[in-house]
């Protein structure tokens, strides 16, 4: 019996269902149910909330989310070998867990849920970053989700929360911080996973803001930030040359020194630049 529910320990579940970890699916499982319950708590109050979990695997985090009181969990898993183990959890929590056998990148799982919605995932890192960008760029803002609680490789987590002037600061930081509050809430060593990955990991919690911190057209802001960081070592007057005919005076009007480099410029100034360029 585990600490959080009456289901068997995860090692037993994995052995019984022969869920040897597959590298191609980025399978590094968390087997400590106290740790998965802790991650579920970091997602915030789950009472009355629909939770989307991507990549449940053998279900450690899923069990944490259900034990922490989620109204309903939709778990999207690509590996069919995990489905019988997840069905056992569904049986222990009648009507609260739905499992979808799918590639999360190929569907829109949010369409299956009702607000309020929180998203929680321990995913392969490349899939996590792609989904993060999708969830941060919906057609309308605020998005349908309230918060994202996602495990990343530590270096990616640092890029999400980075501030101007640091090596890690770039497109991901600006995208995340423009319309959400992003914080690293937990750091984990490789040994927290089975098998252990090569790198350290961190959980990032992002809360959607009701409105962007500074007004800007999303497409223009994205274009400016992409151009600025594609040549991050160059002065902005060169890096942004192709963006507008007289970029130097637009930079000055936005309060930015044309000789500055992208990594020195904060969100507010990038938004001011995007507004002038839109005009
Ligand atoms: N959540 C479990 C845990 O914390 O122990 C498993 C985490 S493991 C790092 C990632 C899980 O995501 C695996 O179960 C893997 O099969 C699944 N997965 C990988 N790519 C996926 C995709 N594109 N869509 C849905 N699930 C995926």
């Amino acid at each position: 019996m585990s600490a959080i529910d009456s289901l068997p320990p995860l090692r037993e579940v994995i052995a019984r269902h022969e869920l040897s970890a597959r590298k191609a699916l980025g399978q590094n499982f968390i087997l400590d149910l106290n740790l998965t319950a802790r991650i579920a708590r970091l997602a915030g109050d789950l009472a009355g909330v629909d939770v989307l979990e991507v990549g449940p695997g053998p279900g450690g985090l899923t069990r944490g989310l259900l034990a922490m009181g989620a109204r309903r969990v939709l778990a999207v898993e690509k590996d069919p070998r995990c489905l019988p183990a997840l069905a056992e959890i569904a049986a222990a929590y009648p009507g609260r867990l739905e499992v979808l056998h799918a590639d999360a990148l190929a569907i829109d799982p949010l369409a299956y849920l009702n607000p309020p919605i929180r998203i929680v995932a321990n995913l392969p890192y490349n899939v996590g970053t792609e989904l993060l960008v999708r969830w941060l760029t919906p057609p309308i803002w605020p998005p349908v989700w309230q918060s994202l609680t996602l495990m990343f490789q530590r270096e990616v987590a640092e890029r999400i929360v980075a501030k101007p002037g640091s090596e890690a600061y770039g497109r991901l930081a600006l995208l995340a911080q423009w319309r959400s509050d992003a914080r690293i809430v937990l750091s984990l060593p490789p040994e927290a996973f089975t098998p252990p990955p090569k790198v350290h990991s961190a959980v990032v919690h992002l809360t959607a803001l009701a409105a962007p911190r500074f007004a800007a057209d999303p497409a223009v802001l994205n274009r400016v930030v992409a151009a600025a960081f594609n040549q991050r070592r160059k002065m902005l007057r060169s890096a942004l040359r192709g963006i507008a005919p007289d970029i130097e005076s637009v930079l000055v009007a936005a309060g930015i020194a044309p000789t500055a480099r992208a990594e020195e410029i904060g969100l507010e100034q990038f938004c001011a630049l995007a507004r002038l360029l839109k005009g």
Side-chain angles (χ1 to χ4, degrees):
M1 188 129 100
S2 70
I4 62 165
D5 57 33
S6 57
L7 287 157
L10 281 164
R11 276 186 203 285
E12 192 184 311
V13 173
I14 286 172
R16 190 156 38 84
H17 294 286
E18 299 180 15
L19 298 176
S20 53
R22 294 213 170 134
K23 218 175 170 171
L25 284 166
Q27 292 182 336
N28 303 98
F29 302 132
I30 300 180
L31 304 187
D32 176 352
L33 289 161
N34 291 312
L35 179 54
T36 63
R38 189 169 159 205
I39 296 170
R41 275 196 295 274
L42 291 170
D45 185 3
L46 300 183
V49 169
D50 274 11
V51 178
L52 169 63
E53 187 197 359
V54 187
L61 184 52
T62 320
R63 285 164 63 175
L65 294 165
L66 290 162
M68 290 308 129
R71 171 174 66 193
R72 189 172 153 234
V73 176
L74 173 67
V76 181
E77 174 55 58
K78 192 172 172 181
D79 184 355
R81 297 178 311 149
C82 299
L83 302 181
L86 295 167
E88 290 173 5
I89 305 172
Y93 288 94
R96 290 177 58 202
L97 172 62
E98 194 182 329
V99 180
L100 205 57
H101 174 216
D103 177 344
L105 294 171
I107 58 165
D108 176 13
L110 288 171
Y112 296 80
L113 298 173
N114 297 311
I117 298 169
R118 293 186 189 271
I119 302 178
V120 183
N122 172 19
L123 270 171
Y125 299 123
N126 54 342
V127 180
T129 311
E130 181 160 350
L131 286 174
L132 170 68
V133 171
R134 263 189 217 183
W135 289 326
L136 287 172
T137 52
I140 49 163
W141 198 271
V144 289
W145 52 267
Q146 275 186 346
S147 67
L148 311 173
T149 307
L150 310 173
M151 182 84 70
F152 290 100
Q153 119 180 32
R154 174 91 207 176
E155 175 252 318
V156 175
E158 278 165 6
R159 280 169 45 207
I160 296 169
V161 303
K163 296 293 173 207
S166 67
E167 261 302 294
Y169 183 63
R171 288 182 74 178
L172 206 49
L174 285 155
L175 178 64
Q177 295 170 36
W178 181 40
R179 298 192 287 196
S180 78
D181 183 41
R183 281 177 303 126
I184 292 180
V185 289
L186 183 68
S187 293
L188 290 174
E191 311 79 65
F193 302 84
T194 305
K198 288 200 173 68
V199 293
H200 282 251
S201 302
V203 176
V204 183
H205 182 74
L206 301 102
T207 312
L209 300 176
R213 283 182 208 280
F214 308 103
D217 178 89
V220 179
L221 181 62
N222 181 43
R223 197 155 56 89
V224 172
V225 169
F229 282 97
N230 275 347
Q231 305 185 68
R232 62 184 292 148
R233 305 263 167 255
K234 284 201 175 169
M235 292 180 190
L236 285 169
R237 67 178 175 208
S238 314
L240 298 180
R241 189 173 286 141
I243 291 267
D246 185 9
I247 192 65
E248 199 148 341
S249 54
V250 184
L251 283 163
V252 171
I256 300 171
T259 51
R261 290 173 173 78
E263 63 192 30
E264 301 162 40
I265 305 303
L267 182 55
E268 187 168 8
Q269 286 171 301
F270 270 118
C271 290
L273 186 56
R275 286 196 301 274
L276 286 169
L277 289 167
K278 169 102 173 153

